[in-house]
Structures are given as C-alpha cells and as structure tokens.
Amino acid sequence: MTVAHVKDANDCGLCMAINGNNQESDQSRLQDGSGDDISIKDVARMILRHSRGIVAFVLLAMVATMAFVFLLPSKYTAESMLQVILPADKSGKIDQFMFEMKMNSHLKEMNSDFIAGAVAAEVSTGAFKVASSDLSKQVSITRPPKSNMIVLTAEFHLKDQSLSVLSAWVRQYFTSLYKNNIIESLHLTRLKLQKIQGEIAELNARAAQLKKHAERSGQVVDLERGIDETQLWRELSENAPAEKLGTLANIKVKGQEQSAEYLGLKSMLYNADQNYISADARRRFYKEAIQYLEYKLVKLEPGWSGQTPSVSSNVSQYVETMVNDFDVIEFGYPALKSSSGGSLRKVVIAFLASLAAASLCAYLREWYKTISV
C-alpha cells in the first residue's frame, strides 16, 4: 500500500468519524430535551445526510411531471372582447349609475344558461359534442377593473374548437340582443298605434260635431244697406228738391254674403280634416311597422319559411334603426391567446414541491431516529 492510499484511508476515516460525531451530537441534543434550540444549520445538516435520496426523489418527480405535462394534450385559449357604450345625458356627462347597471346586465345575460345552450346546439356538430353545462365551465366571461370592456375566453384542446365556440358565443349573444330589440320595438310601436287610434277617434268626433254646427249656421246671411256715399248726396242735394231727396233716402240696397260663423266653422273643419289625414298616415305607418317587426321575429325561429312582407322604404328604415340599436359592440374578432410558459411553470412548481416534500421526509426520518433510540 502506498503513502497516498494510506492518506486517503485516513481522510475517509476522519470524515466518517466527524459525521458520526455530528449525528451523535444531534441525537444527544434531541434526547437531552434541548431540541428546541436546534439551529437552521443543524436542520440543514440532518437533511443533507439524505442528499442522495432527495436528489433521486426530485429527479423522479421531475421526470413524471414532464412526462405528464408534455404527453397531456395541449389546450388552446381564444379571447374576444366586447365594449359597452358609455351612457351620457344631454349635457354629455356620463351617467355612472346607469353604466354600472348596463355592465351588470350584460355580464348576467352573457353568463346565462340560455346562451350556453344555444352555443352548445350550434357547435355540437360532427365529432365535437359538448353539453351546455360543460361549456359554461370552459368559457370565462369577466370585466377588467375600471373599464367598459367585457372579456370572453374559451379553452379547448383544438384551435378550431376554441375559436368556433367563442365566435358562436358572441354571435348568439348579439342574436339574443337583436331579438330583444324586436320585442321591445313591437311593444313600443303597438303603444304608439293605440295612441294614434285614440287621437283619430277624437278627430272623427270633433269633425262630426263641426259639420253639424256648420249645417245649422247657414252659409250666407241677408243684408240691407242704405246708400252711404257722401259725394253723391252732396251733388243730389244741390240739384234736387227736398221731397225727392227724402224719397232717395228711403232706397235700400239688398244683398247676401257668407256668414262669418260659417267661415270659422269651415276653417276649423278643414284643420280637423288635415289632422285626421296626418293621424291616419301615421296609423298606416305603424301598422306596416308592426307587420314588418312580426315578420322579423318569426324569421328568427328555426325552420321558418315564408314571404317577406312588402313595406315602404320609410318603414324599413324605421324598423332597422330600432332593432339594430345596440349599446355594446364587438371589439375586434376572436383570436388565439398565447399561453407560452404554462408548461415551464408546472415543471418549476413540481420541482419546488418535490424538493420540499423530500427535505421534510428526510428531517422527519432523522427526528424519528432520535426519539426511537
């Protein structure tokens, strides 16, 4: 045996003796009841005695985690955004209370089971089948703090599934808003029709009364006037005797002219007729609008087949303006959201968790040895 071999053997023996002395000192410290004064350095030394086991456990946990993460099917997240139009009064000031009510209303309606069911029925074609309850869990609808935006996210294993579900969700929501606008417009237009029909009834009654008064008053009145001409009488008085002037004074001019009362009644009757014509035109307008709105509502039903009613351009513009009045707009189009770093984050979490668990097990093992001696 060489001098170097002798020296290595002595070093190994020295290290084992030191470790043995450290372990005996740790055990004696715990047995003597002074374990409460163990320092972090002592705990670290007790854990490091099992460093090989800790490393092996962490490596196995890392391999298992990486295999699970990379063999697990990838998930793709699609994102879409909606912007709620801020309500303002006539002075241009934002009504914060009304805005919060609108935001809460939109969030509640978008999270409804009705929308989820409609989306599930639309996208469940071919091999892709999804229930509305599962769809509600995979689609998230949130509002960023202090904003007028609504963010929708959908997470599925295929890119097309995420995009199609999110696009269908936005489309079904706007379809629901469109249908609600039609129903609300129908209600308002029917109220206007009822009001104008009441006005027409009043105008008819008034016109009938005015006609009766006009018939009773008579169109003309008889008039009888003397000759009132100063120049003529002056000339006659110079050339004619007094007895003849008296005879001329008894001459009366008779005639007829239209009654002022009758003319007033006719003017009032004319105004009533004009108001009736205007009211009747509005009545026919609202009737066409109701017919067109009912057609639009029935057209939304699945399997509908029918003819488009013939309406005027004014009615069509009126209806389209009412039913397409939305206080929320789509901000861009649904797009895939980058999810890089998700796998790495899971691996890091698994590494830290396995290291902590292995270290705890090593410390507990050393502590169990001390209490079992």
Side-chain angles (χ1 to χ4, degrees), residues 136-354:
S136 300
K137 299 176 183 178
Q138 293 174 287
V139 176
S140 174
I141 302 173
T142 58
R143 172 196 176 187
K146 298 181 180 180
S147 71
N148 63 330
M149 307 297 294
I150 298 176
V151 180
L152 296 86
T153 56
E155 189 178 50
F156 290 89
H157 294 298
L158 297 178
K159 297 180 181 179
D160 294 339
Q161 291 177 355
S162 299
L163 291 174
S164 63
V165 167
L166 211 54
S167 299
W169 201 286
V170 174
R171 183 166 53 253
Q172 289 294 337
Y173 182 62
F174 274 99
T175 301
S176 176
L177 291 179
Y178 181 75
K179 185 175 181 179
N180 291 340
N181 284 349
I182 294 176
I183 296 173
E184 184 178 357
S185 300
L186 262 174
H187 176 68
L188 294 176
T189 307
R190 284 169 178 161
L191 289 178
K192 291 180 179 180
L193 180 60
Q194 291 177 1
K195 182 179 178 181
I196 203 65
Q197 286 176 341
E199 293 179 3
I200 289 176
E202 293 178 0
L203 289 172
N204 285 332
R206 185 179 180 186
Q209 188 177 10
L210 288 173
K211 287 179 180 179
K212 290 181 180 179
H213 284 300
E215 291 174 356
R216 289 197 302 264
S217 65
Q219 298 185 13
V220 296
V221 293
D222 297 326
L223 299 176
E224 184 177 335
R225 297 190 183 94
I227 298 174
D228 186 12
E229 181 62 38
T230 305
Q231 182 64 28
L232 177 62
W233 283 110
R234 185 180 295 113
E235 293 177 355
L236 291 173
S237 62
E238 293 177 354
N239 301 321
E243 60 275 8
K244 291 184 178 181
L245 289 176
T247 303
L248 291 174
N250 293 326
I251 297 175
K252 303 293 183 181
V253 178
K254 295 183 179 182
Q256 290 182 332
E257 66 180 19
Q258 286 187 328
S259 171
E261 181 184 1
Y262 178 80
L263 291 176
L265 291 172
K266 290 293 288 185
S267 177
M268 295 173 65
L269 186 59
Y270 173 79
N271 293 332
D273 287 339
Q274 293 298 316
N275 292 334
Y276 173 81
I277 293 172
S278 176
D280 186 62
R282 282 183 288 165
R283 177 178 61 181
R284 286 185 280 106
F285 178 86
Y286 291 140
K287 281 186 175 180
E288 287 188 14
I290 290 174
Q291 181 184 6
Y292 195 49
L293 285 168
E294 289 175 345
Y295 153 74
K296 283 187 166 294
L297 186 61
V298 175
K299 187 180 178 181
L300 295 176
E301 299 298 329
W304 177 86
S305 61
Q307 295 181 351
T308 304
S310 178
V311 295
S312 64
S313 59
N314 291 333
V315 171
S316 177
Q317 292 176 2
Y318 169 80
V319 171
E320 294 297 335
T321 301
M322 293 186 69
V323 300
N324 291 299
D325 184 20
F326 301 122
D327 59 355
V328 59
I329 57 176
E330 188 175 5
F331 191 81
Y333 298 96
L336 288 175
K337 183 180 178 181
S338 176
S339 58
S340 59
S343 300
L344 180 61
R345 182 171 59 253
K346 294 177 182 178
V347 172
V348 171
I349 293 175
F351 169 75
L352 296 176
S354 61

